[in-house]
Amino acid sequence: MAAPRSLALWGYCDRGWSRLMPGCRLPGFRSCWPGCPLGARLLSQEKRATETHFGFETVSEEEKGGKVYQVFESVAKKYDVMNDMMSLGIHRIWKDLLLWKMRPFPGTQLLDVAGGTGDIAFRFLNYVQAQYRGKQKRQLRAQQNLSWEEIAQKYQNEEDSLGGSHVMVCDINKEMLKIGKQKASAQGYKAGLAWVLGDAEELPFDEDKFDVYTIAFGIRNVTHIDRALQEAHRVLKPGGRFLCLEFSQVNNPLVSSFQVIPVLGEVIAGDWKSYQYLVESIRQFPPQEEFKEMIEDAGFQKVTYESLTSGIVAIHSGFKL
């Protein structure tokens, strides 16, 4: 099965998340040939037929995209449950730390790549809303002469509660996006959120569009990491920040084995093979210092990383200056 080569954007209407009509030109999307859906660039149909790795297996670059797509199509429905089982719930803390490091403010425009299930997007909306509410309360305390009607009106406006912030979730896998949209509807996330089917190596957005780019547990699955990093740099505004949460080189031998993951995959999801790939992809991913150099090569400056939980994961940060 090949990776998808078209782009779709979902917005929220009264009946839930729905696919927007093709042919409209949306601000911030890269334009391409006449008639291209949404006026956005189609994902490339040409991949160089050189070899790369799929876990420990050697495959052509063209073949890898389809194989990775199949893995995440297979694990999508059990993705959240498996994350909890594999990390004993610690992945939630790692993602919280990513948001605390980001420290977004009202008005922040975020692009979350490979974020189909919405974990980062929902945390972002919660964080920004809490920041805005805190600011609003401080302003209300300073305006003691407001009526109850005026106070209620300020709290009831959902768009205002985000202070103009917005998150665009971009993922190449339709099933992962489907799960994310279902979670958004179930948990009441509507404002400030959109979903787009797109490739990390060819993002369908204009240059200098976003304040922050995040990718959590996704960059090790792209075929060309260097291209994904270059695209991240391209779509960020000057002064924008790149943040990546990814498995890394463990510096504690007591926690260095991931071999329990395929076993859990078989027991919980009935899928040993997909979770075996995830283990192998973790081991193939470059160590922290090497990945730091790759981020710098893409044009980012002030690049740093912080290892968490004995180096099981690391948060990498860089700025477009």
Side-chain angles (χ1 to χ4, degrees):
M1 179 186 295
R5 289 171 180 159
S6 61
L7 178 143
L9 180 72
W10 285 267
Y12 194 88
C13 65
D14 290 340
R15 290 170 293 190
W17 294 103
S18 60
R19 187 167 177 166
L20 300 183
M21 293 298 292
C24 58
R25 175 69 173 98
L26 296 180
F29 280 81
R30 297 188 82 181
S31 58
C32 63
W33 307 284
C36 177
L38 302 180
R41 179 173 57 171
L42 289 174
L43 305 183
S44 175
Q45 299 185 20
E46 297 291 334
K47 297 288 185 183
R48 293 182 299 173
T50 53
E51 290 185 337
T52 187
H53 62 81
F54 173 74
F56 293 154
E57 182 183 354
T58 299
V59 298
S60 69
E61 290 184 346
E62 184 177 27
E63 189 180 5
K64 178 174 178 175
K67 282 181 171 290
V68 171
Y69 188 87
Q70 287 179 315
V71 165
F72 284 92
E73 185 178 53
S74 174
V75 305
K77 291 182 179 180
K78 296 286 187 178
Y79 189 75
D80 289 335
V81 175
M82 282 299 300
N83 278 344
D84 282 332
M85 293 297 295
M86 290 187 300
S87 70
L88 301 178
I90 299 175
H91 76 100
R92 298 174 183 271
I93 298 174
W94 296 334
K95 291 167 183 173
D96 288 340
L97 288 171
L98 180 68
L99 261 294
W100 294 338
K101 184 173 284 288
M102 184 195 305
R103 295 186 181 277
F105 50 85
T108 297
Q109 304 299 300
L110 169 66
L111 173 62
D112 183 36
V113 176
T117 58
D119 278 5
I120 302 302
F122 302 155
R123 281 171 169 78
F124 169 80
L125 294 174
N126 290 341
Y127 188 101
V128 171
Q129 189 173 63
Q131 293 292 104
Y132 189 81
R133 291 297 195 200
K135 178 181 177 181
Q136 191 177 52
K137 287 179 180 179
R138 291 191 295 271
Q139 291 175 339
L140 289 172
R141 290 193 191 102
Q143 298 174 333
Q144 298 294 329
N145 59 336
L146 287 179
S147 68
W148 283 111
E149 290 80 4
E150 290 171 318
I151 293 174
Q153 186 176 10
K154 284 180 177 291
Y155 276 97
Q156 288 172 359
N157 192 322
E158 186 178 7
E159 290 289 348
D160 279 351
S161 71
L162 298 173
S165 297
H166 189 273
V167 54
M168 180 73 72
V169 181
C170 180
D171 201 297
I172 199 170
N173 194 285
K174 293 180 181 179
E175 285 301 312
M176 297 291 280
L177 287 171
K178 180 180 177 181
I179 297 298
K181 287 183 285 181
Q182 290 173 349
K183 288 170 60 180
S185 295
Q187 298 176 30
Y189 292 101
K190 300 176 184 178
L193 176 64
W195 310 82
V196 63
L197 185 69
D199 189 340
E201 296 182 27
E202 282 187 281
L203 293 172
F205 307 108
D206 291 339
E207 297 178 2
D208 305 336
K209 177 171 174 59
F210 298 97
D211 299 302
V212 183
Y213 171 113
T214 55
I215 183 166
F217 304 118
I219 202 163
R220 74 182 189 280
N221 297 306
V222 304
T223 303
H224 306 97
I225 294 176
D226 56 342
R227 293 185 195 175
L229 292 172
Q230 290 163 11
E231 280 291 271
H233 189 273
R234 180 182 67 77
V235 301
L236 281 170
K237 299 175 184 177
R241 190 176 191 182
F242 168 85
L243 285 167
C244 174
L245 174 63
E246 190 54 88
F247 288 106
S248 295
Q249 189 175 78
V250 180
N251 50 36
N252 186 338
L254 296 178
V255 294
S256 63
S257 176
F258 293 96
Q259 276 309 124
V260 70
I261 293 177
V263 178
L264 291 173
E266 180 65 29
V267 172
I268 296 171
D271 188 352
W272 177 288
K273 188 175 182 180
S274 293
Y275 288 94
Q276 180 62 38
Y277 158 73
L278 294 178
V279 171
E280 294 173 1
S281 69
I282 292 169
R283 298 194 184 283
Q284 290 280 54
F285 192 71
Q288 290 91 317
E289 279 295 326
E290 184 178 340
F291 187 50
K292 176 178 180 287
E293 293 177 3
M294 294 176 72
I295 298 171
E296 291 171 336
D297 288 343
F300 289 100
Q301 299 182 44
K302 297 186 179 296
V303 179
T304 60
Y305 66 85
E306 179 183 0
S307 295
L308 306 174
T309 320
S310 298
I312 292 178
V313 301
I315 297 175
H316 294 262
S317 171
F319 293 86
K320 179 178 177 177
L321 301 176

